[in-house]
Amino acid sequence: MTAWVPPDALGRRVSCGTDYGTVRYVGSVSRASGIWLGVEWDDPQRGKHDGCYEGTQYFKCRHPKGGSFIRPNKANFGVDFLTAVKDRYGLNDKQDVQYGTEKTVVFGTKTVEFVGMDSVAEQQRQLNKLVDISVRECAVSHAGQTEEISRTCANMRHINLSKNLISSWETVIDIASQVRNLETLNVSENKMKFPSTSVSISSAFSNLKILALNQTEITWTEVLLCAQGWPALEELYLSSNNITVLERPDDVLKTLKLLDLSDNQLLDGNQLHLIAHLPRLEQLILRNTGISSIHFPDAGFGCKTKMFPSLKRLAINDNKISQWSSINELDKLPSLRSLQCNNNPLMDTEKNPETLIQLIIAKISQLEVLNNCEILPAERRGAELDYRKIFGNDWLEAGGHWDPEKNKPSEEFLAAHPRYPSLCLKYGAPEEGELKGRQPLTLKNQLLTLTIKCPEKPEQKPVEKKLPESMTIQKVKGLLYRLFKIPGSELKLSYESSKLEGKEVELDNDLKPLQFYSIESGDCVLVRW
């Protein structure tokens, strides 16, 4: 008996066991009876060829071994949305109550809870009371009968449709148009077709605030076309979509506050200029996008850019940024408060990670959080004072002077240290005595092995740290704030010499190095707050 094949099978998404793919061919195959499906598999390891069999090209694949033929009865073409909901929540007539396992879905760094069977056991008996619904991996392929969803699930607001068998954006519209107050929608991991030319604007997403389209193969051009139907969207997740080129949004995405483009290999950092005028964008996630530099050409040294006017949080970790000039450029962003920049080549330019952190803090004036760690006022002050001192000799050699009338540092120096003039205004120019005999940053300083104790906090176990003897007390405090996760309080440091038992010396000058106090390896630093 011949298995039934849907009339629209070509281009449909199917599953076979745990494997997912797209039907690229329906018909007979040489020297094999009956109807076959030619499938391009998401995982090329599942395939055998590129659609060419015994010299005949039946279909084409992106991967040379990404395709194979299967019988129609091996392919699961999926179910309608409401059937999946009933199966997922144990509400089919033929089923007993099923206990759900999917409770949360992650959009970037935010977790949204989807209600599972164990938390609303009785409420799920009535579908129209469900607000949060997850049908992840439930083989949803189509909406079902017209208006059936709106009659049955009238109060849905949050839907997780990730990793199903949805073949086109039209199917998503068919489902969403029946959900009156839809606010959150996750359709990630559905490789589907999106409109590539004109698109008829639907009211299906008129209240949508959060949309996840990760791993859907959408392009930026298609995003902008579909965005005409997202008038209230605030968060858009587009990771792992092979987006390489951006275009300037034209009267769309005006309400967007968060944009996640992580794991898309952008051609270059200048692509960012094309999305730089989204008026309400507060958070931009660019993790692993291949960018090697950042530049805002509309603003000079010490000035603020008109680009990204509302941007508060930026993630550029796991990229190829290697020059300090990109960090200097970030100081031009008028609203930037939080930065993630780990795992860039730049982070390997300093042997001492504490020095690296201090340099970034000093270079970006308004930064409050760096790599998820709060920057305390005392830490900022210490970083800026150190920066002013470290590059003081370079400033003098470049034409800097204590006399304001003679102070004319070179363009080259200002390009490398655009904040230096403002630091001199804030704290005064470095005095000559401060700059004498200062070791270059590149010289390896002698390390002191110190025991660090909190005598008034017995629950804090002593720790041993190796610190450069040239490290200032201010830098030591910055390290201890993070080490002990101390809230914004004033630290008081002292030390006990291993040679003079019982004698405690106060470390009372934040600008002095450890060696100023004659601290030696084996001594104990005491921390109080």
Side-chain angles (χ1 to χ4, degrees):
M1 180 174 160
T2 304
W4 176 77
V5 178
D8 61 346
L10 204 60
R12 286 273 297 269
R13 297 281 294 163
V14 293
S15 63
C16 181
T18 58
D19 293 300
Y20 288 73
T22 303
V23 178
R24 301 296 186 199
Y25 174 80
V26 180
S28 58
V29 177
S30 64
R31 295 197 299 172
S33 61
I35 298 296
W36 292 82
L37 302 179
V39 179
E40 180 179 10
W41 300 102
D42 294 356
D43 179 5
Q45 301 288 334
R46 172 69 171 79
K48 296 178 180 178
H49 49 71
D50 65 351
C52 183
Y53 181 68
E54 293 190 349
T56 301
Q57 189 80 49
Y58 292 93
F59 61 97
K60 292 184 178 180
C61 292
R62 281 175 287 189
H63 192 278
K65 291 203 171 180
S68 68
F69 292 102
I70 62 171
R71 288 293 192 185
N73 62 356
K74 297 287 186 183
N76 178 9
F77 281 91
V79 298
D80 67 86
F81 176 79
L82 211 51
T83 297
V85 171
K86 290 177 179 178
D87 287 347
R88 169 69 178 78
Y89 291 99
L91 298 170
N92 270 343
D93 295 337
K94 298 178 182 178
Q95 289 183 297
D96 293 327
V97 170
Q98 296 280 321
Y99 282 81
T101 57
E102 294 294 335
K103 294 180 186 175
T104 60
V105 62
V106 176
F107 300 117
T109 57
K110 180 178 292 187
T111 301
V112 175
E113 184 170 347
F114 285 88
V115 179
M117 185 57 224
D118 49 357
S119 60
V120 287
E122 199 55 41
Q123 185 184 21
Q124 288 174 359
R125 289 295 179 182
Q126 300 181 36
L127 279 168
N128 63 4
K129 289 187 178 178
L130 284 175
V131 174
D132 303 339
I133 284 182
S134 173
V135 284
R136 176 177 167 83
E137 287 189 272
C138 289
V140 176
S141 62
H142 56 287
Q145 294 181 14
T146 307
E147 299 305 320
E148 188 179 11
I149 297 172
S150 58
R151 286 195 302 268
T152 315
C153 302
N155 292 297
M156 282 192 300
R157 293 193 176 197
H158 312 286
I159 302 176
N160 181 4
L161 267 168
S162 59
K163 204 169 184 182
N164 278 288
L165 300 177
I166 297 171
S167 303
S168 75
W169 182 245
E170 289 300 318
T171 299
V172 179
I173 292 176
D174 289 344
I175 294 171
S177 62
Q178 299 184 55
V179 185
R180 190 173 48 211
N181 295 309
L182 184 62
E183 294 178 11
T184 304
L185 178 62
N186 183 7
V187 286
S188 300
E189 299 174 81
N190 286 286
K191 294 184 187 295
M192 59 180 125
K193 288 182 181 177
F194 293 89
S196 56
T197 52
S198 61
V199 58
S200 56
I201 299 175
S202 164
S203 61
F205 308 107
S206 57
N207 296 308
L208 191 67
K209 289 183 170 59
I210 301 173
L211 176 60
L213 291 166
N214 304 321
Q215 298 179 55
T216 56
E217 300 192 339
I218 194 170
T219 67
W220 184 250
T221 300
E222 291 165 350
V223 167
L224 297 186
L225 280 169
C226 294
Q228 297 173 46
W230 309 334
L233 195 66
E234 295 181 358
E235 298 182 13
L236 179 58
Y237 299 87
L238 297 170
S239 73
S240 306
N241 277 310
N242 298 317
I243 294 172
T244 57
V245 178
L246 301 177
E247 299 170 44
R248 191 182 298 274
D250 185 18
D251 293 323
V252 292
L253 303 177
K254 297 290 188 185
T255 57
L256 201 64
K257 293 181 179 179
L258 181 153
L259 177 60
D260 182 1
L261 288 168
S262 57
D263 298 305
N264 291 288
Q265 295 303 300
L266 299 177
L267 284 180
D268 56 60
N270 290 333
Q271 293 289 314
L272 302 181
H273 298 168
L274 297 168
I275 58 169
H277 298 285
L278 293 170
R280 297 183 63 190
L281 189 66
E282 295 180 1
Q283 184 170 357
L284 181 59
I285 304 169
L286 298 170
R287 181 181 55 79
N288 189 31
T289 50
I291 57 174
S292 57
S293 65
I294 296 172
H295 182 46
F296 303 114
D298 67 322
F301 307 139
C303 300
K304 297 299 181 185
T305 177
K306 292 181 180 177
M307 299 185 186
F308 298 105
S310 302
L311 191 65
K312 295 179 181 177
R313 296 179 291 281
L314 176 64
I316 51 172
N317 34 328
D318 301 303
N319 278 298
K320 300 174 183 177
I321 295 169
S322 59
Q323 301 296 322
W324 280 104
S325 57
S326 291
I327 300 299
N328 291 338
E329 288 292 304
L330 295 179
D331 188 51
K332 295 179 180 180
L333 292 169
S335 303
L336 187 66
R337 297 293 183 273
S338 174
L339 175 67
Q340 290 184 34
C341 58
N342 280 327
N343 299 325
N344 278 284
L346 175 73
M347 306 305 280
D348 298 324
T349 58
E350 293 292 337
K351 289 183 179 179
N352 185 350
E354 282 300 311
T355 299
L356 189 86
I357 289 167
Q358 297 286 320
L359 289 173
I360 295 172
I361 292 171
K363 281 178 175 287
I364 307 177
S365 59
Q366 299 173 101
L367 207 61
E368 296 173 357
V369 178
L370 176 59
N371 295 328
N372 296 320
C373 290
E374 182 186 358
I375 300 167
L376 297 164
E379 187 177 10
R380 169 161 293 287
R381 176 180 168 82
E384 291 177 344
L385 285 169
D386 262 12
Y387 188 92
R388 166 182 154 278
K389 189 189 299 184
I390 288 167
F391 296 103
N393 284 324
D394 293 346
W395 171 70
L396 288 172
E397 290 171 10
H401 200 279
W402 292 284
D403 184 345
E405 292 185 4
K406 297 179 181 178
N407 181 31
K408 296 178 181 178
S410 67
E411 289 286 305
E412 186 181 7
F413 178 83
L414 292 175
H417 307 284
R419 280 210 73 212
Y420 202 88
S422 63
L423 293 178
C424 286
L425 284 174
K426 186 174 181 180
Y427 300 107
E431 297 174 11
E432 193 172 359
E434 289 182 84
L435 305 179
K436 282 183 178 178
R438 181 164 186 91
Q439 287 185 321
L441 278 175
T442 51
L443 291 180
K444 186 175 181 182
N445 294 310
Q446 184 178 341
L447 293 177
L448 301 172
T449 303
L450 303 173
T451 301
I452 299 173
K453 292 181 180 178
C454 304
E456 296 173 2
K457 308 282 183 182
E459 69 274 11
Q460 293 277 11
K461 293 182 179 178
V463 293
E464 190 174 276
K465 281 283 176 184
K466 291 187 177 182
L467 305 177
E469 62 180 12
S470 61
M471 194 175 195
T472 64
I473 301 305
Q474 183 61 58
K475 281 190 179 181
V476 175
K477 285 183 176 180
L479 171 70
L480 297 176
Y481 275 122
R482 285 189 289 278
L483 183 65
F484 294 117
K485 296 182 173 59
I486 301 167
S489 57
E490 194 66 32
L491 281 184
K492 292 181 180 178
L493 302 187
S494 58
Y495 85 96
E496 287 181 341
S497 170
S498 56
K499 296 176 181 176
L500 299 168
E501 195 171 335
K503 185 180 179 183
E504 194 172 321
V505 179
E506 191 174 346
L507 306 176
D508 54 0
N509 190 331
D510 285 356
L511 301 181
K512 297 294 184 183
L514 290 169
Q515 61 194 10
F516 175 82
Y517 291 96
S518 304
I519 297 180
E520 299 178 352
S521 286
D523 290 351
C524 181
V525 175
L526 304 174
V527 186
R528 295 181 176 88
W529 66 90

